[in-house]
Short mmCIF file of all heavy atoms in Angstrom, two decimals:
data_model
loop_
_atom_site.label_atom_id
_atom_site.label_comp_id
_atom_site.label_asym_id
_atom_site.label_seq_id
_atom_site.Cartn_x
_atom_site.Cartn_y
_atom_site.Cartn_z
N ARG A 500 132.79 99.25 87.49
CA ARG A 500 131.70 98.88 88.21
C ARG A 500 130.95 100.03 88.81
O ARG A 500 129.75 99.99 89.09
CB ARG A 500 132.13 98.00 89.41
CG ARG A 500 131.22 97.38 90.29
CD ARG A 500 131.72 96.42 91.31
NE ARG A 500 132.69 97.19 92.28
CZ ARG A 500 133.37 96.68 93.22
NH1 ARG A 500 133.21 95.37 93.41
NH2 ARG A 500 134.03 97.46 94.08
N GLY A 501 131.57 101.21 88.95
CA GLY A 501 130.95 102.40 89.53
C GLY A 501 129.86 102.81 88.68
O GLY A 501 128.95 103.59 89.27
N TYR A 502 129.71 102.50 87.41
CA TYR A 502 128.57 102.94 86.68
C TYR A 502 127.28 102.10 87.02
O TYR A 502 126.16 102.53 86.45
CB TYR A 502 128.82 102.85 85.18
CG TYR A 502 129.90 103.66 84.61
CD1 TYR A 502 131.19 103.31 84.38
CD2 TYR A 502 129.56 105.06 84.31
CE1 TYR A 502 132.16 104.24 83.97
CE2 TYR A 502 130.53 105.91 83.90
CZ TYR A 502 131.86 105.51 83.68
OH TYR A 502 132.67 106.39 83.24
N ALA A 503 127.34 101.21 87.90
CA ALA A 503 126.19 100.54 88.38
C ALA A 503 125.18 101.46 89.03
O ALA A 503 123.90 101.26 88.96
CB ALA A 503 126.54 99.36 89.24
N LEU A 504 125.73 102.60 89.65
CA LEU A 504 124.86 103.52 90.38
C LEU A 504 123.98 104.25 89.35
O LEU A 504 122.79 104.54 89.69
CB LEU A 504 125.78 104.58 91.06
CG LEU A 504 124.98 105.55 91.88
CD1 LEU A 504 124.42 104.86 93.14
CD2 LEU A 504 125.97 106.58 92.36
N LEU A 505 124.50 104.53 88.17
CA LEU A 505 123.72 105.19 87.15
C LEU A 505 122.58 104.31 86.63
O LEU A 505 121.44 104.79 86.33
CB LEU A 505 124.61 105.69 86.03
CG LEU A 505 125.66 106.76 86.33
CD1 LEU A 505 126.42 107.06 85.14
CD2 LEU A 505 125.08 107.95 87.04
N ILE A 506 122.92 103.11 86.55
CA ILE A 506 121.92 102.06 85.97
C ILE A 506 120.80 101.87 87.00
O ILE A 506 119.56 101.75 86.64
CB ILE A 506 122.56 100.62 85.58
CG1 ILE A 506 123.66 100.93 84.61
CG2 ILE A 506 121.63 99.78 85.27
CD1 ILE A 506 124.47 99.61 84.36
N LEU A 507 121.09 101.92 88.21
CA LEU A 507 120.10 101.72 89.28
C LEU A 507 119.37 103.07 89.72
O LEU A 507 118.45 103.13 90.50
CB LEU A 507 120.71 101.17 90.55
CG LEU A 507 121.12 99.68 90.48
CD1 LEU A 507 121.88 99.24 91.69
CD2 LEU A 507 119.90 98.73 90.19
N TYR A 508 119.80 104.14 89.08
CA TYR A 508 119.24 105.53 89.41
C TYR A 508 117.75 105.54 89.32
O TYR A 508 117.08 106.12 90.18
CB TYR A 508 119.94 106.48 88.45
CG TYR A 508 119.57 107.93 88.69
CD1 TYR A 508 120.24 108.75 89.55
CD2 TYR A 508 118.32 108.49 88.16
CE1 TYR A 508 119.95 110.06 89.74
CE2 TYR A 508 118.03 109.78 88.50
CZ TYR A 508 118.76 110.57 89.30
OH TYR A 508 118.38 111.92 89.46
N PRO A 509 117.09 104.90 88.25
CA PRO A 509 115.61 104.97 88.22
C PRO A 509 115.02 104.38 89.49
O PRO A 509 113.89 104.84 89.90
CB PRO A 509 115.29 104.14 86.91
CG PRO A 509 116.48 104.32 86.14
CD PRO A 509 117.67 104.38 87.04
N LEU A 510 115.52 103.35 89.94
CA LEU A 510 115.01 102.70 91.18
C LEU A 510 115.14 103.55 92.48
O LEU A 510 114.32 103.62 93.22
CB LEU A 510 115.75 101.43 91.41
CG LEU A 510 115.34 100.15 90.42
CD1 LEU A 510 116.13 98.91 90.83
CD2 LEU A 510 113.86 99.92 90.47
N TYR A 511 116.29 104.20 92.43
CA TYR A 511 116.54 105.12 93.68
C TYR A 511 115.42 106.36 93.64
O TYR A 511 115.01 106.77 94.69
CB TYR A 511 117.87 105.70 93.59
CG TYR A 511 119.01 104.71 93.85
CD1 TYR A 511 120.29 104.89 93.21
CD2 TYR A 511 118.79 103.60 94.65
CE1 TYR A 511 121.23 103.99 93.51
CE2 TYR A 511 119.86 102.73 94.84
CZ TYR A 511 121.10 102.94 94.35
OH TYR A 511 122.12 101.99 94.58
N SER A 512 115.08 106.66 92.43
CA SER A 512 114.06 107.80 92.29
C SER A 512 112.66 107.38 92.22
O SER A 512 111.78 108.16 92.18
CB SER A 512 114.47 108.62 91.05
OG SER A 512 115.68 109.16 91.12
N PHE A 513 112.47 106.08 92.24
CA PHE A 513 111.04 105.55 92.11
C PHE A 513 110.30 105.77 93.41
O PHE A 513 110.80 105.44 94.50
CB PHE A 513 111.10 104.06 91.80
CG PHE A 513 109.78 103.53 91.42
CD1 PHE A 513 109.20 103.73 90.25
CD2 PHE A 513 109.05 102.81 92.30
CE1 PHE A 513 107.99 103.17 89.87
CE2 PHE A 513 107.73 102.22 92.08
CZ PHE A 513 107.20 102.39 90.86
N SER A 514 109.10 106.35 93.38
CA SER A 514 108.36 106.53 94.48
C SER A 514 107.34 105.48 94.75
O SER A 514 106.65 105.02 93.76
CB SER A 514 107.51 107.98 94.28
OG SER A 514 106.67 108.08 95.36
N VAL A 515 107.15 105.01 95.95
CA VAL A 515 106.19 104.04 96.30
C VAL A 515 105.16 104.66 97.33
O VAL A 515 104.42 103.94 97.83
CB VAL A 515 106.83 102.79 96.91
CG1 VAL A 515 107.84 102.03 96.03
CG2 VAL A 515 107.60 103.17 98.23
N ASP A 516 105.22 105.90 97.52
CA ASP A 516 104.41 106.60 98.50
C ASP A 516 103.79 107.81 97.79
O ASP A 516 104.57 108.61 97.15
CB ASP A 516 105.25 106.96 99.65
CG ASP A 516 104.45 107.27 100.86
OD1 ASP A 516 103.83 108.35 100.87
OD2 ASP A 516 104.34 106.54 101.91
N SER A 517 102.52 108.13 98.13
CA SER A 517 101.79 109.34 97.60
C SER A 517 102.41 110.66 98.08
O SER A 517 102.24 111.69 97.54
CB SER A 517 100.34 109.25 97.95
OG SER A 517 100.15 109.18 99.34
N ASP A 518 103.19 110.55 99.20
CA ASP A 518 103.83 111.77 99.77
C ASP A 518 105.19 111.97 99.21
O ASP A 518 105.84 112.87 99.62
CB ASP A 518 104.03 111.56 101.27
CG ASP A 518 102.69 111.62 101.97
OD1 ASP A 518 101.59 112.17 101.39
OD2 ASP A 518 102.55 111.04 103.09
N GLY A 519 105.56 111.22 98.16
CA GLY A 519 106.81 111.46 97.40
C GLY A 519 107.99 110.74 98.07
O GLY A 519 109.12 111.09 97.67
N LYS A 520 107.92 109.90 98.96
CA LYS A 520 109.06 109.18 99.59
C LYS A 520 109.53 108.16 98.54
O LYS A 520 108.82 107.59 97.83
CB LYS A 520 108.72 108.48 100.89
CG LYS A 520 108.09 109.49 101.91
CD LYS A 520 109.08 110.38 102.36
CE LYS A 520 108.52 111.25 103.54
NZ LYS A 520 109.52 112.29 103.90
N ALA A 521 110.81 107.89 98.72
CA ALA A 521 111.50 106.80 97.93
C ALA A 521 111.31 105.51 98.51
O ALA A 521 110.88 105.36 99.58
CB ALA A 521 112.85 107.12 97.58
N SER A 522 111.57 104.46 97.71
CA SER A 522 111.50 103.06 98.22
C SER A 522 112.53 102.87 99.32
O SER A 522 113.52 103.60 99.41
CB SER A 522 111.72 102.09 97.06
OG SER A 522 111.52 100.81 97.53
N VAL A 523 112.24 101.97 100.18
CA VAL A 523 113.08 101.75 101.40
C VAL A 523 114.40 101.13 101.09
O VAL A 523 115.46 101.68 101.57
CB VAL A 523 112.20 100.86 102.36
CG1 VAL A 523 113.23 100.41 103.55
CG2 VAL A 523 111.03 101.58 103.00
N PHE A 524 114.46 99.94 100.48
CA PHE A 524 115.75 99.15 100.13
C PHE A 524 116.46 98.68 101.48
O PHE A 524 117.17 97.75 101.40
CB PHE A 524 116.70 100.11 99.41
CG PHE A 524 116.15 100.56 98.13
CD1 PHE A 524 115.79 101.85 97.79
CD2 PHE A 524 116.07 99.56 97.04
CE1 PHE A 524 115.40 102.23 96.61
CE2 PHE A 524 115.50 100.02 95.76
CZ PHE A 524 115.30 101.31 95.64
N GLY A 525 116.36 99.42 102.57
CA GLY A 525 116.98 98.98 103.79
C GLY A 525 115.98 98.94 104.93
O GLY A 525 116.05 99.86 105.84
N PRO A 526 115.05 97.99 104.94
CA PRO A 526 113.91 98.02 106.00
C PRO A 526 114.46 97.99 107.32
O PRO A 526 113.85 98.61 108.31
CB PRO A 526 113.10 96.81 105.67
CG PRO A 526 113.97 95.92 104.92
CD PRO A 526 114.86 96.79 104.08
N ASN A 527 115.58 97.28 107.54
CA ASN A 527 116.13 97.22 108.80
C ASN A 527 116.74 98.48 109.39
O ASN A 527 116.54 98.90 110.46
CB ASN A 527 117.25 96.11 108.94
CG ASN A 527 118.28 96.17 107.77
OD1 ASN A 527 118.00 96.71 106.72
ND2 ASN A 527 119.51 95.94 108.06
N LEU A 528 117.28 99.31 108.42
CA LEU A 528 117.80 100.57 108.79
C LEU A 528 116.70 101.58 109.18
O LEU A 528 116.86 102.31 110.13
CB LEU A 528 118.74 101.17 107.67
CG LEU A 528 119.96 100.28 107.38
CD1 LEU A 528 120.77 101.03 106.28
CD2 LEU A 528 120.88 100.07 108.59
N ILE A 529 115.67 101.53 108.36
CA ILE A 529 114.59 102.40 108.62
C ILE A 529 113.88 102.07 109.95
O ILE A 529 113.60 102.96 110.73
CB ILE A 529 113.42 102.17 107.48
CG1 ILE A 529 114.00 102.76 106.12
CG2 ILE A 529 112.16 102.99 107.85
CD1 ILE A 529 114.38 104.04 106.03
N TYR A 530 113.74 100.72 110.18
CA TYR A 530 113.17 100.39 111.48
C TYR A 530 114.00 100.81 112.72
O TYR A 530 113.50 101.25 113.64
CB TYR A 530 112.98 98.81 111.49
CG TYR A 530 112.17 98.29 112.60
CD1 TYR A 530 110.81 98.15 112.57
CD2 TYR A 530 112.80 97.87 113.73
CE1 TYR A 530 110.02 97.67 113.65
CE2 TYR A 530 112.04 97.25 114.82
CZ TYR A 530 110.73 97.25 114.77
OH TYR A 530 109.94 96.86 115.72
N SER A 531 115.35 100.56 112.57
CA SER A 531 116.23 100.99 113.65
C SER A 531 116.24 102.49 113.92
O SER A 531 116.26 102.94 115.03
CB SER A 531 117.69 100.57 113.23
OG SER A 531 117.76 99.16 113.23
N LEU A 532 116.23 103.27 112.76
CA LEU A 532 116.17 104.74 112.94
C LEU A 532 114.86 105.09 113.71
O LEU A 532 114.85 106.08 114.59
CB LEU A 532 116.12 105.44 111.55
CG LEU A 532 117.47 105.41 110.78
CD1 LEU A 532 117.24 105.87 109.33
CD2 LEU A 532 118.50 106.33 111.60
N GLN A 533 113.80 104.51 113.34
CA GLN A 533 112.47 104.81 114.11
C GLN A 533 112.70 104.46 115.63
O GLN A 533 112.21 105.21 116.59
CB GLN A 533 111.37 103.97 113.42
CG GLN A 533 110.99 104.47 112.04
CD GLN A 533 110.13 105.75 112.12
OE1 GLN A 533 109.82 106.25 113.13
NE2 GLN A 533 109.91 106.30 110.97
N CYS A 534 113.21 103.31 115.91
CA CYS A 534 113.22 102.89 117.24
C CYS A 534 114.18 103.69 118.14
O CYS A 534 113.93 103.97 119.22
CB CYS A 534 113.77 101.33 117.28
SG CYS A 534 112.59 100.26 116.71
N VAL A 535 115.34 104.11 117.46
CA VAL A 535 116.30 104.92 118.12
C VAL A 535 115.77 106.26 118.39
O VAL A 535 116.03 106.89 119.52
CB VAL A 535 117.71 104.91 117.46
CG1 VAL A 535 118.62 105.89 118.09
CG2 VAL A 535 118.31 103.53 117.39
N SER A 536 115.03 106.90 117.41
CA SER A 536 114.68 108.25 117.40
C SER A 536 113.45 108.43 118.28
O SER A 536 113.24 109.35 119.01
CB SER A 536 114.42 108.82 116.14
OG SER A 536 113.44 108.03 115.39
N LYS A 537 112.47 107.52 118.28
CA LYS A 537 111.23 107.57 118.88
C LYS A 537 110.97 106.51 119.96
O LYS A 537 110.03 106.65 120.71
CB LYS A 537 110.10 107.59 117.89
CG LYS A 537 110.02 108.68 116.87
CD LYS A 537 109.64 109.95 117.63
CE LYS A 537 109.57 111.14 116.71
NZ LYS A 537 109.24 112.36 117.40
N HIS A 538 111.83 105.46 120.18
CA HIS A 538 111.75 104.45 121.05
C HIS A 538 110.38 103.77 121.00
O HIS A 538 109.74 103.43 121.91
CB HIS A 538 111.95 104.93 122.38
CG HIS A 538 113.22 105.68 122.64
ND1 HIS A 538 114.55 105.00 122.68
CD2 HIS A 538 113.74 107.01 122.65
CE1 HIS A 538 115.51 105.79 122.82
NE2 HIS A 538 115.03 106.97 122.77
N GLU A 539 109.89 103.58 119.69
CA GLU A 539 108.66 102.97 119.60
C GLU A 539 108.58 102.17 118.24
O GLU A 539 109.40 102.45 117.35
CB GLU A 539 107.50 103.97 119.58
CG GLU A 539 107.62 104.98 118.41
CD GLU A 539 106.55 105.99 118.39
OE1 GLU A 539 105.90 106.12 119.58
OE2 GLU A 539 106.27 106.70 117.60
N GLU A 540 107.74 101.22 118.15
CA GLU A 540 107.64 100.39 116.91
C GLU A 540 106.78 101.12 115.90
O GLU A 540 106.08 102.16 116.20
CB GLU A 540 106.99 99.02 117.24
CG GLU A 540 107.82 98.19 118.11
CD GLU A 540 107.24 96.79 118.43
OE1 GLU A 540 106.08 96.59 117.91
OE2 GLU A 540 107.84 95.96 118.96
N VAL A 541 106.82 100.70 114.65
CA VAL A 541 106.07 101.39 113.69
C VAL A 541 105.16 100.31 112.96
O VAL A 541 105.46 100.06 111.71
CB VAL A 541 107.05 101.98 112.72
CG1 VAL A 541 107.66 103.20 113.19
CG2 VAL A 541 108.27 101.11 112.32
N PRO A 542 104.19 99.82 113.59
CA PRO A 542 103.40 98.81 112.87
C PRO A 542 102.53 99.30 111.76
O PRO A 542 102.20 98.58 110.85
CB PRO A 542 102.35 98.41 114.02
CG PRO A 542 102.36 99.59 115.02
CD PRO A 542 103.73 100.17 114.92
N HIS A 543 102.24 100.55 111.71
CA HIS A 543 101.52 101.14 110.56
C HIS A 543 102.21 101.19 109.33
O HIS A 543 101.70 101.43 108.18
CB HIS A 543 100.97 102.60 110.88
CG HIS A 543 101.90 103.69 111.25
ND1 HIS A 543 102.64 103.69 112.37
CD2 HIS A 543 102.44 104.55 110.26
CE1 HIS A 543 103.45 104.64 112.23
NE2 HIS A 543 103.37 105.17 111.07
N GLN A 544 103.62 101.02 109.38
CA GLN A 544 104.44 101.07 108.15
C GLN A 544 104.86 99.62 107.82
O GLN A 544 105.99 99.45 107.32
CB GLN A 544 105.63 101.95 108.41
CG GLN A 544 105.19 103.43 108.61
CD GLN A 544 106.42 104.36 108.88
OE1 GLN A 544 107.45 104.06 108.31
NE2 GLN A 544 106.24 105.44 109.59
#
Side-chain angles (χ1 to χ4, degrees):
R500 187 177 62 181
Y502 289 103
L504 184 70
L505 298 179
I506 300 175
L507 291 173
Y508 184 96
L510 287 180
Y511 293 149
S512 298
F513 188 78
S514 175
V515 298
D516 194 290
S517 61
D518 293 340
K520 302 293 184 182
S522 186
V523 168
F524 298 108
N527 52 324
L528 297 182
I529 298 293
Y530 189 87
S531 298
L532 285 172
Q533 292 283 356
C534 292
V535 173
S536 60
K537 293 295 184 181
H538 303 286
E539 61 184 13
E540 296 181 354
V541 283
H543 63 279
Q544 296 182 30

